[in-house]
Amino acid sequence: MKAEVDLYKLFSRRATLLMGGKFALLGLIGARMYQLQVIEAERYATLSDDNRINLQLIPPPRGRFVDRYGEPLAFDKQNYRVSLVLEKGGSARAVLETLSSVMPLTDHEFGRIIREIERGRRFMPIIVRENLTWNEVAAIEVNAPDLPGVLIDVGRTRYYPYAETMAHVLGYVGAASEADQDGDALLRLPNFPVGKDGLEKRHERSLRGTAGMSQIEVNAFGRVIRELSRQEGLPGREVTLSLDLEVQKFAYQRFGEESGALVVLDVNTGEVIALASVPGFDPNAFAGGIKGELWRSLLNHPRTPLINKAIAGQYAPGSTFKMMVALAALESGLVTPSNGVVCTGTLAFGDTSFHCWKKEGHGAVAMEQAIMKSCDIFFYETARKIGVDRIAAMAKRFGLGRPVAIDLPGAKSGVIPSREWKQATYGQPWANGETLVAGIGQGYVLATPLQLAVMVARLANGGQAVTPRLTREIRGLEDGTITPPELEPMGISPAALEVVLRGMDDVVNTPGGTAYNTARIDEPGMAIAGKTGTSQVRRITAAERVTGVKKNEDLPWHMRDHALFVAFGPTDSPRYAIAVLVEHGGGGSRFAAPIARDVMRLVLERDPSRARPIVSKDSSDAA
């Protein structure tokens, strides 16, 4: 009996302990539930909404570029694209093979789509191709019953209506890479376009705009249920350029099959009226990702269409550099306008003979006549008298040998040699014979067409330090209108300038001038003054001079001389400067001067002081 009582007591104690443990556990559970449902209810409700609601960025339309008269140069347009939702289409390969019969897919596209399907979810759309033509859209829609899961939708893509003509100015856009990240969440969006080159890159922040926001309800698998709210972003700002589209188009077309560059500047404001580099490329091909075959063809093209020759092509300026030598000589006081040289066609210097372009020589010439006839012997002698350092100092005052301050990335500085420069660059002393070669713009001397245009603009405006600019206004910014800076006098002697400008006038408008037959404009008030230049790309040997130098057209293209011409107009009241380079074109008078003449005629015809041009606008293009 006693054993039964002890067993009962033991059971009662265990039961009590067990019940107490259960009640304690229930109390803990209740306390935790109270904490979760009452004390921290708001926090967990927020977390629940975060899991249920996704915030998505809405990319804004990119800002437009327009020319000085409001003509659209680059804008976003509707982009038809085809996507595949695997959840609705069954076998991806089967659907893609059927789609290929309607719209042929490359092996590259096929492989990319399969890789994206393997990485993604079945209900997420995968873009098959963008920028569909209307015929492709129609073909897909007609065959829609045989293409389950294939959808047509509308996006936006960057469009350049004048493609090659404006490519080197505007640049192009491409998907944002890691190198483009600047903290803006928009750049994390797949395929979000950013400026990669040209003014698209320079004005990226203004053109990009501000993101919108969309609240999307999703289920546990990430599938979109509905859109809860939507707030559109702010579109990018419109950028007005100083370019005149009609002049730009004409300049590009005027080169025909030639390769080269052209720049037109307003000599008083620095506004760039035209900036052409030929050949160009189609920036529309970059918007959706350029194909490898096209990219390789551009890279390997012998005429380098990807290089902006106007600002990054560096060439020996040839005789267009002689104005710098003339000014340096006159400013030094070592040469006067009346000092003459007798040109016999050859100048002996040490054990070397230096030759004039005119084999029989020009006879007795002074400064003005030497510019007019482009006498090499005169400038050899002049350079020898004053030395290379004086020439270099003058050239740099006119914008040569240093980066040009222009709102376009990629401008090169060229080379203006001096004794110090050669020692620092090559570790060698300067040779006196090199001074003679520099005196005619050859040897180490290099300049870009933009620099030559700046040089002529500063000559034509009376020696004031004008700087070029492409951007006129960024709409919507308080300081968006770009006011040209006050021009700073460069301290050039007006008398010395007058001699040089008269020489340039004679080049074009006096019989015997090197461009009299090829650059003269006879219309009243439209006369121009200029200077021809022919830049050798190879050394002519003594043997060739004896047997006869081959004509440029008889040489391979890459061995022919570069043709150059610089000018300003009108001569009685200079307003515009122009520089033209024709790569491996031959003589400057024959090949570059006619291009400059025709473009300057159009520029002067369209000058706002004469008559404002009527511009037709197609509002549908700008939508």
Side-chain angles (χ1 to χ4, degrees):
M1 188 68 168
K2 184 174 184 305
E4 292 178 359
V5 172
D6 292 340
L7 182 60
Y8 175 76
K9 289 180 179 180
L10 179 61
F11 176 77
S12 298
R13 283 197 301 271
R14 290 179 177 176
T16 301
L17 289 172
L18 182 60
M19 292 297 293
K22 288 182 177 180
F23 280 117
L25 183 60
L26 288 171
L28 289 172
I29 293 172
R32 179 59 176 161
M33 291 178 66
Y34 180 79
Q35 181 189 22
L36 294 175
Q37 296 186 10
V38 179
I39 298 175
E40 297 186 2
E42 185 175 349
R43 171 172 173 261
Y44 283 102
T46 302
L47 291 174
S48 175
D49 281 342
D50 286 344
N51 287 331
R52 182 177 63 88
I53 299 172
N54 281 351
L55 298 179
Q56 295 186 352
L57 294 177
I58 302 173
R62 193 169 176 84
R64 302 193 312 166
F65 281 109
V66 298
D67 85 333
R68 67 192 297 120
Y69 298 118
E71 280 292 294
L73 305 176
F75 49 87
D76 285 1
K77 73 169 188 175
Q78 286 187 335
N79 162 30
Y80 290 100
R81 57 193 181 191
V82 58
S83 302
L84 172 64
V85 181
L86 190 58
E87 182 182 53
K88 301 179 180 180
S91 169
R93 290 187 179 275
V95 175
L96 289 174
E97 287 173 1
T98 305
L99 181 60
S100 292
S101 64
V102 177
M103 181 189 71
L105 299 175
T106 65
D107 293 339
H108 174 75
E109 287 175 318
F110 201 98
R112 174 186 60 80
I113 296 164
I114 295 298
R115 287 193 299 273
E116 290 189 23
I117 289 172
E118 292 171 349
R119 289 197 301 263
R121 296 179 177 178
R122 293 179 63 84
F123 57 83
M124 295 295 291
I126 294 169
I127 296 176
V128 176
R129 183 183 292 173
E130 295 188 279
N131 300 312
L132 299 181
T133 65
W134 181 247
N135 287 338
E136 289 174 328
V137 172
I140 293 170
E141 292 290 1
V142 167
N143 290 275
D146 300 321
L147 298 170
V150 175
L151 307 173
I152 296 289
D153 66 343
V154 180
R156 301 183 73 86
T157 191
R158 196 65 164 168
Y159 179 60
Y160 303 94
Y162 302 102
E164 292 89 350
T165 302
M166 295 297 304
H168 291 101
V169 175
L170 299 179
Y172 56 89
V173 298
S177 65
E178 285 301 318
D180 297 315
Q181 301 301 320
D182 59 9
D184 190 339
L186 275 172
L187 302 188
R188 293 292 179 184
L189 293 177
N191 298 318
F192 184 79
V194 297
K196 296 291 187 178
D197 195 15
L199 291 177
E200 289 278 20
K201 182 176 181 178
R202 172 67 178 80
H203 294 301
E204 169 59 31
R205 276 293 192 175
S206 296
L207 294 165
R208 187 185 303 170
T210 305
M213 190 70 70
S214 173
Q215 282 192 329
I216 303 294
E217 184 178 5
V218 297
N219 64 14
F221 298 99
R223 182 181 285 108
V224 175
I225 304 301
R226 57 176 173 154
E227 185 177 66
L228 301 176
S229 66
R230 185 181 185 89
Q231 180 180 353
E232 298 293 342
L234 297 176
R237 302 182 188 279
E238 182 176 277
V239 179
T240 302
L241 304 185
S242 60
L243 294 177
D244 183 334
L245 176 61
E246 293 304 314
V247 176
Q248 179 79 6
K249 288 193 298 184
F250 179 77
Y252 188 91
Q253 294 163 1
R254 183 60 182 78
F255 275 84
E257 298 299 316
E258 299 289 353
S259 172
L262 176 148
V263 179
V264 180
L265 297 179
D266 185 311
V267 304
N268 298 312
T269 67
E271 288 190 333
V272 180
I273 309 302
L275 191 149
S277 179
V278 185
F281 60 91
D282 185 359
N284 294 299
F286 289 80
I290 189 169
K291 296 179 180 179
E293 183 180 348
L294 175 57
W295 175 247
R296 287 188 293 273
S297 70
L298 291 172
L299 282 178
N300 298 325
H301 196 293
R303 303 201 178 192
T304 58
L306 292 176
I307 294 178
N308 186 345
K309 299 179 180 70
I311 68 169
Q314 301 181 102
Y315 309 88
S319 294
T320 63
F321 188 69
K322 289 175 178 175
M323 285 86 76
M324 297 297 95
V325 181
L327 276 179
L330 294 171
E331 291 271 273
S332 73
L334 298 174
V335 177
T336 68
S338 59
N339 286 153
V341 169
V342 176
C343 171
T344 61
T346 304
L347 172 68
F349 186 82
D351 59 356
T352 305
S353 293
F354 290 83
H355 301 270
C356 186
W357 69 268
K358 189 174 183 181
K359 189 175 181 179
E360 63 274 20
H362 292 96
V365 291
M367 181 75 74
E368 190 175 325
Q369 293 77 32
I371 295 173
M372 168 186 162
K373 298 178 180 181
S374 198
C375 177
D376 292 332
I377 300 300
F378 179 92
F379 286 97
Y380 289 144
E381 287 279 19
T382 302
R384 182 185 61 78
K385 283 183 182 180
I386 64 176
V388 70
D389 290 336
R390 286 191 177 94
I391 297 172
M394 181 60 69
K396 288 185 176 180
R397 291 168 72 181
F398 278 82
L400 304 176
R402 58 183 60 181
V404 177
I406 186 173
D407 47 344
L408 189 63
K412 299 292 186 182
S413 60
V415 176
I416 294 298
S418 64
R419 295 178 182 276
E420 181 183 358
W421 170 85
K422 188 180 179 187
Q423 188 65 48
T425 305
Y426 295 102
Q428 299 173 0
W430 185 262
N432 290 331
E434 293 170 334
T435 301
L436 276 66
V437 176
I440 62 166
Q442 294 276 174
Y444 296 114
V445 183
L446 295 174
T448 67
L450 175 62
Q451 289 176 314
L452 294 178
V454 171
M455 176 191 77
V456 175
R458 293 180 179 185
L459 286 169
N461 68 18
Q464 299 184 88
V466 67
T467 56
R469 61 191 183 96
L470 277 159
T471 305
R472 261 194 157 192
E473 179 186 6
I474 302 176
R475 186 169 295 180
L477 292 182
E478 291 184 8
D479 56 350
T481 301
I482 313 297
T483 303
E486 191 100 6
L487 293 183
E488 296 270 341
M490 294 162 53
I492 304 296
S493 161
L497 268 176
E498 182 63 26
V499 173
V500 171
L501 296 180
R502 282 203 309 267
M504 294 178 69
D505 191 1
D506 292 340
V507 167
V508 178
N509 300 303
T510 299
T514 54
Y516 178 75
N517 294 319
T518 55
R520 192 174 72 261
I521 301 177
D522 291 328
E523 287 90 332
M526 296 177 66
I528 66 172
K531 182 70 189 77
T532 55
T534 302
S535 170
Q536 292 180 1
V537 299
R538 68 187 186 95
R539 187 166 181 249
I540 299 174
T541 66
E544 285 181 294
R545 292 189 184 279
V546 172
T547 59
V549 180
K550 285 185 178 181
K551 294 181 179 180
N552 266 273
E553 51 266 34
D554 297 330
L555 295 169
W557 179 79
H558 69 280
M559 295 176 65
R560 300 174 188 173
D561 298 336
H562 296 316
L564 299 104
F565 188 75
V566 297
F568 65 86
T571 53
D572 55 353
S573 180
R575 177 69 189 275
Y576 301 102
I578 188 170
V580 177
L581 164 91
V582 181
E583 277 191 318
H584 306 293
S589 174
R590 181 179 175 187
F591 294 96
I595 295 175
R597 175 200 63 204
D598 295 345
V599 173
M600 279 293 278
R601 180 186 279 115
L602 179 62
V603 170
L604 294 172
E605 287 174 352
R606 293 175 62 81
D607 185 88
S609 64
R610 294 168 64 90
R612 187 174 180 84
I614 299 174
V615 180
S616 61
K617 294 187 178 181
D618 186 347
S619 59
S620 63
D621 281 349

